[in-house]
Amino acid sequence: MFFNSLAFAIFLPLVFFLYWFVFNKTKNTQNALLILASYYFYSCWDWRFLFLLVFSTFLDYYTGIQIEKSTNEKGRKFWFWLSVIVNLGFLGVFKYFNFFSNSFAQLFTSLGFKASPLLLDVILPVGISFYTFHGLSYVIDIYYKRIKAEYNFVDYSLFVSYFPLLVAGPIERATHLLPQVKVQRTFDLEKAKEGLAQFVWGLVKKVVIADTCATYANAVFDNYPSMNSLSLMLGAIYFAFQIYGDFSGYSDMALGMSKLFGIDLLKNFNYPYFSRDIAEFWRRWHISLSSWFRDYLYIPLGGSQGGMWYKIRNTFIIFLVSGFWHGANWTYVVWGLLNAIYFLPLLVLQKNRNNTGPVLWSYDWKGIQTIWNILLTFTLSTIAWVFFRAKSITDAVLYLKQMVINGDFSSQYLSNERYNYEILLLIGVFVVVEWNNRNRVEPLSGRYSLLKFGLAIAAIMALGTFSDYKEFIYFQF
C-alpha cells in the first residue's frame, strides 16, 4: 500500500476517524488501534513478512528486558550480542546473501576457478533496514544505560511498527518516540492542520516533482549511449531531483500524517540542495540515518578523538557502510566512497563545521560566494548520484565519460517529446519555492498559505495521483 495510492486515501481517513472518535478513551486503546493498522498496512505488501516484523519486535523487547535484569556484565553482553547478531543476521540473509554469493563467485571465476553462486530465492522484506535499525538503537541504548527497558509490549510494538515510518523511516529513537506513545494523545486542531499541509506538500514532491522527473531520468539513463552531453547532464539533474522529491516527499508525508495522530517524528530533511559544502549536505540529507551512524558507529569507533588518521579512517568507514546500507550493489559502495572523498578536504582542513547556520542571501560578494558554494556542492552530489542510479559501476563510468567526451551541447533532445522544456520549468519553480521555504519550519506557512495549499491540491489532482502511482525509491532499502 503506497502513500500515494487510492487504497491509502481510504485507509488513512478511516484510521484517523477510529483513532479520535472510537478508540480515543485511553492511550492503550489508541496504541492498540495503531498497531493493528500498522500490521494491516505492512501485510498489504506481503503478509508472510509480518511474522518477521513481529519476531524482530519480540526479540528486541525481550533482550532489552534481559539486559536490564542481568546482574553481571557477562549476562548483559550475551543478550546484547544475541539481539545484534540475530538482527544483522536477518538483514544479511535477506538483503546481502545473494550479493556476496555472486561477488565471491565472480572473484573465483576471474582467478581461473569454476564457481557457481549459491542463490536464495527470496525477496527483500520492505522496510527491513529501517525497523532493524529502530530495534538496534533501542537495545544499544539499554546496554549503555542511556534508557530503561520498556516492559509494555504494546507500547514497544508501536515504537517499532508505527506505519507512517515503518517502511522508509525516518529512523526513530526510543528516547524520542517511546515517551510519546506512553501517554494518551488529545486532538490538537492546529497540529492536525500543520500535519495535513505537510502531508500534501510531501505528496506534491512525490507526484509532481519525483514522478515527473523519473520519466525523463529513466529515459536518459536507459539510453545513455545514444545521448549527447547536454542530455546526460540533464538526466543526472533529473535524477537528483527525483530522489530528493521522492524521499523527502515520503518523509514529509510520514511526519505530516503522524501529526494527525498527535505524534511528532524526527525531521529527516532540511533543504540539502542548498548546502554550502558536502559536510552540511550530510547534516541536511537523511538526517535520521546520518545521526544514527554518528551515534552508533562513528562515536564508538572513536569519533573525532585521536589523530587525523583516526578521523579519516572513521569517516571513510561511516560513508562506506552508509553506501552499503542503501543496497546490495557495488554502485552504492562507490557512491559512499565518493562522498567520503568529497568530505576529506573539509576534514583535513578542519572546515567541516564551517556552515552550520541558516542559508542567508545578500547582494554582495558574500552572497555570490554562497550561491557558488551551493552550486558546487549540488554538482558534486549529482555526480555521485549517477553511481547511485546506475545499474553497475561500468554503466556509471561510461555515463560520465560519455557526458564529458561527447561534447555535443545542442538542444536537439530537448525538442523531443521525452525531453521537453516543461520539466526544466517545473524544476525551476520548485527550486524557487524551496528557496523561499528554506528557513521555515512548515513548508506551506507564510503569506498566501491557503493559496499554496489549494495549488498543491490542484497539482496533485491534475497529474492523476491515484490512477498512476509509482513506488517510492527507498522502499527497496
Side-chain angles (χ1 to χ4, degrees):
M1 189 190 300
F2 300 106
F3 286 177
N4 53 327
S5 67
L6 178 60
F8 193 80
I10 298 171
F11 170 82
L12 182 60
L14 178 60
V15 176
F16 178 84
F17 174 80
L18 293 174
Y19 181 82
W20 289 119
F21 297 103
V22 180
F23 292 83
N24 62 332
K25 303 302 181 183
T26 66
K27 70 96 176 176
N28 290 329
T29 56
Q30 289 177 324
N31 290 354
L33 173 68
L34 289 180
I35 290 174
L36 290 174
S38 298
Y39 284 170
Y40 172 77
F41 174 79
Y42 194 73
S43 66
C44 288
W45 303 98
D46 191 323
W47 63 270
R48 295 168 297 180
F49 290 131
L50 183 59
F51 296 103
L52 182 63
L53 172 62
V54 173
F55 175 82
S56 177
T57 301
F58 180 78
L59 171 73
D60 296 328
Y61 167 78
Y62 184 77
T63 54
I65 292 175
Q66 295 306 312
I67 291 171
E68 186 171 88
K69 285 184 174 180
S70 296
T71 57
N72 57 75
E73 188 61 24
K74 185 177 180 180
R76 286 167 47 80
K77 284 185 177 181
F78 171 79
W79 292 109
F80 170 73
W81 284 110
L82 176 66
S83 175
V84 171
I85 291 171
V86 174
N87 272 300
L88 294 182
F90 277 128
L91 191 61
V93 169
F94 283 102
K95 191 169 183 176
Y96 299 108
F97 183 88
N98 287 349
F99 167 75
F100 280 116
S101 182
N102 272 318
S103 297
F104 280 118
Q106 292 173 6
L107 174 63
F108 283 117
T109 300
S110 66
L111 295 175
F113 299 98
K114 186 177 181 180
S116 298
L118 173 63
L119 302 179
L120 297 179
D121 186 19
V122 295
I123 61 174
L124 179 67
V126 65
I128 187 172
S129 296
F130 289 91
Y131 68 71
T132 297
F133 272 33
H134 289 152
L136 281 175
S137 67
Y138 168 77
V139 171
I140 293 171
D141 284 345
I142 293 174
Y143 180 76
Y144 285 104
K145 299 182 179 181
R146 299 168 187 154
I147 61 173
K148 295 289 186 180
E150 176 56 56
Y151 284 76
N152 187 313
F153 185 68
V154 173
D155 291 351
Y156 179 74
S157 297
L158 182 57
F159 159 69
V160 175
S161 62
Y162 185 41
F163 74 88
L165 54 77
L166 178 57
V167 295
I171 300 172
E172 271 291 345
R173 307 292 183 88
T175 52
H176 181 253
L177 185 54
L178 265 176
Q180 297 184 73
V181 305
K182 290 185 67 61
V183 297
Q184 183 179 4
R185 279 76 66 188
T186 56
F187 184 72
D188 185 332
L189 180 60
E190 289 303 313
K191 191 170 188 175
K193 287 164 61 177
E194 290 177 3
L196 183 59
Q198 189 168 9
F199 180 88
V200 170
W201 182 238
L203 197 55
V204 169
K205 285 183 179 180
K206 167 60 178 171
V207 177
V208 179
I209 304 301
D211 289 354
T212 305
C213 286
T215 301
Y216 297 88
N218 291 341
V220 174
F221 273 87
D222 291 345
N223 301 281
Y224 75 87
S226 63
M227 298 292 169
N228 70 356
S229 294
L230 177 61
S231 296
L232 293 172
M233 289 180 180
L234 291 175
I237 292 172
Y238 295 155
F239 179 71
F241 280 96
Q242 177 196 349
I243 194 169
Y244 172 70
D246 191 283
F247 193 28
S248 71
Y250 177 94
S251 295
D252 279 337
M253 294 167 76
L255 269 66
M257 78 174 76
S258 189
K259 288 178 182 177
L260 295 176
F261 300 107
I263 296 174
D264 292 313
L265 299 180
L266 293 171
K267 187 174 183 178
N268 216 18
F269 284 86
N270 188 22
Y271 306 98
Y273 285 163
F274 298 135
S275 302
R276 291 152 291 187
D277 58 50
I278 206 68
E280 184 182 18
F281 176 85
W282 282 106
R283 288 192 294 271
R284 292 172 174 269
W285 178 280
H286 203 346
I287 300 169
S288 64
L289 179 67
S290 299
S291 61
W292 199 99
F293 279 124
R294 178 197 65 205
D295 294 343
Y296 298 110
L297 185 57
Y298 182 74
I299 292 177
L301 285 172
S304 298
Q305 304 299 316
M308 182 57 66
W309 159 247
Y310 290 101
K311 295 179 184 178
I312 294 173
R313 181 202 65 179
N314 295 342
T315 298
F316 270 77
I317 290 174
I318 289 297
F319 277 109
L320 290 173
V321 172
S322 177
F324 198 51
W325 176 90
H326 280 84
N329 194 318
W330 289 111
T331 55
Y332 298 115
V333 177
V334 173
W335 170 74
L337 177 62
L338 270 178
N339 279 282
I341 293 171
Y342 294 161
F343 194 92
L344 184 59
L346 297 172
L347 182 65
V348 172
L349 298 175
Q350 298 183 347
K351 293 184 177 181
N352 54 303
R353 303 293 299 180
N354 276 11
N355 295 306
T356 57
V359 181
L360 303 177
W361 165 253
S362 57
Y363 293 94
D364 54 19
W365 171 250
K366 189 174 181 180
I368 295 174
Q369 187 177 29
T370 296
I371 296 299
W372 166 255
N373 290 338
I374 289 173
L375 291 174
L376 178 60
T377 304
F378 175 75
T379 300
L380 292 174
S381 299
T382 301
I383 291 172
W385 284 135
V386 172
F387 286 89
F388 196 96
R389 170 60 178 78
K391 296 178 181 178
S392 68
I393 295 176
T394 300
D395 284 328
V397 171
L398 291 177
Y399 186 105
L400 294 172
K401 181 180 178 182
Q402 175 79 353
M403 184 171 66
V404 173
I405 68 173
N406 178 273
D408 183 0
F409 293 92
S410 64
S411 61
Q412 56 176 313
Y413 290 100
L414 287 174
S415 61
N416 187 296
E417 184 180 356
R418 294 182 303 171
Y419 315 105
N420 54 44
Y421 290 97
E422 284 84 346
I423 181 65
L424 297 177
L425 177 61
L426 177 65
I427 291 175
V429 171
F430 178 66
V431 169
V432 171
V433 173
E434 287 284 278
W435 178 262
N436 186 54
N437 287 333
R438 71 190 185 280
N439 294 321
R440 290 198 178 108
V441 176
E442 301 299 332
L444 294 180
S445 63
R447 292 196 305 169
Y448 312 117
S449 58
L450 184 60
L451 177 60
K452 294 176 185 177
F453 189 84
L455 289 174
I457 292 290
I460 294 169
M461 294 177 64
L463 290 176
T465 308
F466 302 118
S467 60
D468 186 26
Y469 53 84
K470 295 181 176 65
E471 182 177 342
F472 288 84
I473 292 175
Y474 266 68
F475 281 6
Q476 63 185 294
F477 305 135

